[in-house]
Amino acid sequence: MEFTIKAGSPEKLKNGCVVVGVYAGGELSAAAQALDKASDGALAAVLAHGDLDDKAGATLLLHSLPGLATPRVLLVSLGKASELSDKTYRDAVAATAKQLGGIAAEDAAFLLADIDAPRDLAWRLSQAAQILKDSTYRSDTLKSKKEESKKGVRKLAFIVHGKTGEELQTALLRGEAVAEGIALAKNLGNLPGNVCTPGYLATTARKLAKDHKIKVEVLERADMEKLGMGSLLSVARGSHEPPKFIILNYKGGKAKDKPVVLVGKGITFDTGGISLKPGEGMDEMKYDMCGAASVLGTFKAIARMELPINVVGLVPTTENMPGGSAIKPGDIVTSMSGQTIEILNTDAEGRLILCDALTYAERYEPAAVVDIATLTGACIIALGNATSGLLANDDELAAELLASGQAAGDKAWQLPLWDEYQDMLKSNFADIPNIGSKGAGTITAACFLSRFTKAYKWAHLDIAGTAWKSGADKGATGRPVPLLTEFLIGRAGNR
Ligand code: BES
Ligand code: MN
Ligand code: ZN
């Protein structure tokens, strides 16, 4: 979908469809009032029939209203005016996207953002652009016949009253850039394990670097051996696919600015290894590289925005397979940090690849490190599929990420990383076991990681519940690209 921003009077618009908001009880937004007036009360008359639901996101498509140049008016319910929130606005935009995908109009004019809340106009435009663009995403790359619809709006003008200045253009670009980042993350996530291998992720990173102002380096097994990444390499032992360690470098900031480092879990398929997972639903473990995908997606977004900030991306990537050379429960390996790890469960492999990447991150003297991982099933038990888990060794950083999630509509919730939980990690034979004693699985996983992040401010996002959807709508969500991008936008502006 192509976007523009224009100033104009609602009643004069000639677009194939004009989208305006209506509040609960038939209360008209300013734009809807203008259409109503020009059509001699036709809009209010239709609403009086009561067909438009009060709930935010309900829609009603009207044709050929008198006195208007447009053939279609799409009424979208915004819910109660007094209860307008980030969520009701986003719901209304998502419903709009769905309707615009199914009508025969070429172009549309969007006046939903031209209201007084929530947040400011720039936020409303940015969110709308992101949601509308994201709604056109299709996961049909591996279908022999693509779903080609002749219908659907291709061009959309955001109509605002007053100035259409640079701030709004930036907001629009940001929304589009986030949608592009989401699309990349979704594509990678949805690809099957036999296509999206560690090598495929490396190739994707190289391509991303070629198209944007990003540098990439890929470490091979021998390089990792030299660095002493014994923990990461132990996970790769069962697999025939060579592991990779991908390093992305985006330098949009000043040379001396310390970078933010993003670390993404890149298990391209998690069988559990010798601690084999049950068969049911195992196909979804192709999504175990969604942390890595979100790092690549975020790089795409910030590079498109040309954000003035320095960011390093680290992606340790391998399969977790059983095999004759695979690690076994009870094996002890030495991590790059020098700490020895007793592998009591080969299915707790994410932390084993992340810990070496977190040690590697020290060399950048980072301003902050954020790792993103589909790390624990326990996180889905705790928070379900709406919210990512957040744990951090720095409360200011945690607060920053929580606020970014709120603003981006990609929310996280903090769990405690108190010392009491550190006591749940005890090994009789090594410095640390790779699993904790029973309970608090998301927290003990983060406790494990925290043993490798003492040198800097660090936060961990557990996206096990948010990175993809199961069931009939099975598919990657692209989360937490919006949260991460919002966080980096904030950092670029503040420091
Ligand atoms: N990738 C999984 C976590 C996961 C499971 C994410 C299901 C989403 C859905 C991870 O590698 C894993 O297997 N974790 C184990 C840890 C346990 C062995 C301590 C888990 O959560 O069961
Ligand atoms: Mn696992
Ligand atoms: Zn895993």
Side-chain angles (χ1 to χ4, degrees), residues 265 270 277 285 288 345 347 349 374-377 435 464 468:
K265 172 179 174 183
D270 182 12
K277 285 184 181 295
M285 281 299 115
D288 213 17
N345 189 321
D347 198 10
E349 85 297 341
T374 47
L375 205 63
T376 63
I435 55 171
W468 77 91

Side-chain angles (χ1 to χ4, degrees), residues 1-3 90 125-138 158 170-188 293-294 296-302 304-305 408 410 476-483 485-486 489:
M1 213 182 274
E2 274 174 46
F3 299 123
R90 291 173 52 87
L125 282 188
S126 183
Q127 286 285 304
Q130 181 196 313
I131 294 167
L132 288 162
K133 193 168 174 118
D134 181 46
S135 75
T136 63
Y137 173 83
R138 297 285 173 274
F158 291 101
T170 304
L172 194 64
L173 170 70
R174 286 182 173 175
E176 289 186 82
V178 170
E180 283 179 34
I182 289 175
L184 174 59
K186 282 185 176 180
N187 275 336
L188 290 170
S294 76
L296 293 172
T298 300
F299 267 75
K300 171 140 203 169
I302 62 169
R304 278 273 284 127
M305 294 174 190
D410 182 9
T477 60
R479 292 178 67 178
V481 170
L483 181 160
T485 308
E486 186 69 31
I489 290 172

Side-chain angles (χ1 to χ4, degrees), residues 40 43 61 70 141 156 195 239 241 263 286 304 378 407 460 464 491 494:
D40 216 3
L43 222 147
L61 183 63
T70 178
T141 48
L156 185 133
V195 174
S239 170
E241 292 290 339
V263 181
K286 72 176 182 179
R304 278 273 284 127
H460 159 66
R491 285 259 159 167
N494 293 339

Side-chain angles (χ1 to χ4, degrees), residues 162-234:
K163 57 179 173 51
T164 61
E166 204 176 318
E167 190 205 353
L168 298 186
Q169 292 296 343
T170 304
L172 194 64
L173 170 70
R174 286 182 173 175
E176 289 186 82
V178 170
E180 283 179 34
I182 289 175
L184 174 59
K186 282 185 176 180
N187 275 336
L188 290 170
N190 288 331
L191 283 173
N194 65 329
V195 174
C196 186
T197 58
Y200 187 93
L201 285 181
T203 304
T204 306
R206 286 202 181 94
K207 187 160 180 307
L208 192 64
K210 211 168 144 234
D211 298 345
H212 298 88
K213 225 181 70 191
I214 298 170
K215 282 202 187 117
V216 67
E217 190 186 347
V218 178
L219 304 187
E220 304 293 334
R221 192 194 305 267
D223 304 315
M224 293 183 252
E225 271 163 9
K226 275 193 209 117
L227 285 163
M229 293 180 162
S231 184
L232 196 177
L233 288 172
S234 76

Side-chain angles (χ1 to χ4, degrees), residues 43 137 149 171 186 198 211 254 256 270 273 275 279 313 354 359 396 403 407 424 478:
L43 222 147
Y137 173 83
S149 167
K186 282 185 176 180
D211 298 345
K254 298 197 187 83
K256 64 164 182 27
D270 182 12
S275 312
L354 289 170
T359 300
E396 226 178 297
M424 295 169 77

